[in-house]
Amino acid sequence: MTTSFTPTGAGAGWAGGGVGTVGGRAAGADLGTSGIRTSGVAAAHERSATGTDVDLRTSYLGLDLRNPVVASAGPLSQTVEGVRELADGGVGAVVLYSLFEEQIRHEAARDVMLEELHEESFAESLTYFPTPPGGRDVLSRSYYSLVERAAAAVDVPVIASLNGSSIGTWTEAARAMQDAGAAAIELNIYLVPGDTNAGRDVEDAHVAILTSVKEAVTVPVAVKLSPFVSSLGELALRLAEAGADGLVMFNRFVQPDVDIEGLEVVSGLELSTPFEARLPRTWIAALRRRMSISLAGTTGVDTADDVVKYLLAGADVAMTTSSLVRRGPGYAHQLVDGLASWMSRKGFSSVTDVRGLLAVPTDVETTAYARAGYVSALEKAKRTYGPLVEDSEGGTPPFGAATTVGGTAPTDPQADPGQRATQVPPPHVDL
């Protein structure tokens, strides 16, 4: 079996951050044996619905999971019934939908306003102190109630999620989530630098948010990252050193479109596709053997093949919402059974045997390794699309121009179909 992983252009930038080793572990090492906390969740040796007897157990954030398929934060986990359906559908854990920083700030601002309006009231009237419709902190309290009820309703870990971008509102909410019964907390740091902030300032904010939450809770904490930072490799290591129990790769920023008839920006969020998994897989493979904390891939999981690819790259779990939204919570069973079937066919007896087999080795010079993968990808493109040839003026044909393959003119009606004209990308395109 080939055990090399060749990151191409998308992953080449990780070496620029001066990546070192944090508790370096060999590929496939079981995180559950490295002193990380474990939960009381039962982790049975599973037999899949197809009758395949393999050990699908994994460890994520120190929690014992029955399998590595995790329902990521999304619309399916907004109710106790939804969480129960996900658990019955076969997932190893559930990440609840996110409580947003803006919701917490709104509640806090509303309470301050009400207090200021009535701070001059007579003492005899204090029992009259106004209560907002639905009670104080109705949004956050509703979320904490969901955490408590969901955790009691299912036999898989329930992970709470906080979404925000600034320091100040996380600590109290994180502690309340822990008190409600969350097995872990995922910090979804949705920080979109909208101006010319220095890259270091953005990365410092991530570390500061994590540090404040870790000081407030004892349950495991994962950080959900964006790939759009100046040095993702260095940031990952800084977060690991600051106490993160895991990293989730990656957050999908809303990327608006333009309505050219209405002359307006149109926002929206589309379900992910398998192609989008290439970037997080590349980074997971690059970081896996350089840190001992958990790594989760959370974009582009559509079939069992995508779960397998994440595990081979080094992920401890593969998270998905899009595939479950498309096909229903019960589709998780197909992802798990597909993973078990592949493992049996390839002769693997446990997830531990698979994890990190194709991770980037630690005994290579990382920048040269990435460049070698980049050049290899371009060479493969040349073999696939044909050589780039000069036109009659001595220049390179423009992108999309027809060129000859194998020396046969593209207009020759006798040419073999496999050697006719093809569309050739320019030499600078990253494939």
Side-chain angles (χ1 to χ4, degrees), residues 311-325:
L311 293 177
L312 287 171
D316 297 285
V317 295
M319 295 183 172
T320 181
T321 288
S322 294
S323 70
L324 303 179
V325 169

Side-chain angles (χ1 to χ4, degrees), residues 302-364:
D302 190 59
T303 69
D305 290 355
D306 302 311
V307 176
V308 171
K309 291 176 181 179
Y310 267 123
L311 293 177
L312 287 171
D316 297 285
V317 295
M319 295 183 172
T320 181
T321 288
S322 294
S323 70
L324 303 179
V325 169
R326 290 188 181 102
R327 301 176 180 89
Y331 181 66
H333 273 307
Q334 294 188 41
L335 296 175
V336 174
D337 289 342
L339 168 63
S341 178
W342 177 87
M343 288 172 58
S344 179
R345 180 164 54 86
K346 290 294 186 180
F348 295 109
S349 61
S350 71
V351 169
T352 301
D353 297 335
V354 177
R355 187 188 302 117
L357 275 178
L358 304 186
V360 177
T362 57
D363 58 350
V364 297

Side-chain angles (χ1 to χ4, degrees), residues 36-409:
I36 302 177
R37 289 181 300 273
T38 57
S39 73
V41 178
H45 186 87
E46 290 193 349
R47 177 179 290 273
S48 71
T50 59
T52 304
D53 188 14
V54 293
D55 188 356
L56 298 177
R57 294 174 296 178
T58 191
S59 178
Y60 176 60
L61 306 179
L63 305 172
D64 294 327
L65 274 56
R66 62 190 181 186
N67 66 64
V69 177
V70 173
S72 55
L76 298 180
S77 59
Q78 296 189 45
T79 65
V80 173
E81 183 57 32
V83 173
R84 186 180 290 113
E85 289 180 354
L86 289 167
D88 292 344
V91 299
V94 177
V95 183
L96 297 181
Y97 77 98
S98 296
L99 178 63
F100 280 74
E101 171 188 332
E102 288 78 7
Q103 294 172 316
I104 302 172
R105 288 186 182 278
H106 174 75
E107 290 177 343
R110 179 199 59 200
D111 291 346
V112 169
M113 179 190 70
L114 287 171
E115 290 173 1
E116 290 177 346
L117 280 174
H118 297 83
E119 63 183 1
E120 303 300 330
S121 298
F122 291 105
E124 291 82 355
S125 302
L126 290 181
T127 56
Y128 162 72
F129 194 87
T131 300
R136 295 168 64 96
D137 306 332
V138 61
L139 292 175
S140 57
R141 288 182 181 274
S142 176
Y143 189 93
Y144 306 145
S145 174
L146 173 62
V147 173
E148 182 176 13
R149 291 178 291 121
V154 298
D155 60 354
V156 299
V158 173
I159 301 172
S161 175
L162 268 172
N163 185 306
S165 62
S166 61
I167 303 171
T169 59
W170 301 76
T171 304
E172 183 177 345
R175 187 182 296 114
M177 290 175 174
Q178 171 183 272
D179 294 343
I185 296 172
E186 180 179 282
L187 301 181
N188 188 343
I189 303 179
Y190 195 94
L191 179 56
V192 186
D195 52 25
T196 55
N197 289 344
R200 174 61 66 175
D201 293 341
V202 174
E203 294 163 8
D204 287 347
H206 282 73
V207 176
I209 290 170
L210 169 66
T211 300
S212 66
V213 172
K214 286 291 293 184
E215 290 175 349
V217 301
T218 58
V219 296
V221 178
V223 180
K224 192 170 187 178
L225 290 171
S226 157
F228 307 118
V229 294
S230 59
S231 180
L232 181 59
E234 185 196 29
L235 176 59
L237 292 180
R238 289 184 64 194
L239 291 170
E241 291 168 350
D245 297 279
L247 301 177
V248 183
M249 300 179 172
F250 287 117
N251 200 337
R252 298 176 68 233
F253 284 164
V254 175
Q255 298 178 344
D257 201 355
V258 173
D259 180 352
I260 63 174
E261 297 300 329
L263 303 180
E264 60 181 357
V265 177
V266 181
S267 62
L269 184 64
E270 298 181 357
L271 299 179
S272 68
T273 64
F275 181 82
E276 296 175 72
R278 295 188 177 193
L279 180 60
R281 276 203 309 268
T282 301
W283 275 104
I284 288 171
L287 294 171
R288 175 65 288 163
R289 300 187 187 181
R290 289 169 169 78
M291 54 177 53
S292 60
I293 65 174
S294 295
L295 296 176
T298 186
T299 294
V301 174
D302 190 59
T303 69
D305 290 355
D306 302 311
V307 176
V308 171
K309 291 176 181 179
Y310 267 123
L311 293 177
L312 287 171
D316 297 285
V317 295
M319 295 183 172
T320 181
T321 288
S322 294
S323 70
L324 303 179
V325 169
R326 290 188 181 102
R327 301 176 180 89
Y331 181 66
H333 273 307
Q334 294 188 41
L335 296 175
V336 174
D337 289 342
L339 168 63
S341 178
W342 177 87
M343 288 172 58
S344 179
R345 180 164 54 86
K346 290 294 186 180
F348 295 109
S349 61
S350 71
V351 169
T352 301
D353 297 335
V354 177
R355 187 188 302 117
L357 275 178
L358 304 186
V360 177
T362 57
D363 58 350
V364 297
E365 202 287 308
T366 52
T367 301
Y369 190 83
R371 289 294 302 176
Y374 175 66
V375 173
S376 175
L378 293 182
E379 290 297 326
K380 182 177 181 180
K382 288 176 63 178
R383 293 193 300 270
T384 302
Y385 298 105
L388 294 171
V389 298
E390 293 186 349
D391 61 20
S392 58
E393 300 299 323
T396 301
F399 176 56
T403 185
T404 60
V405 180
T408 305

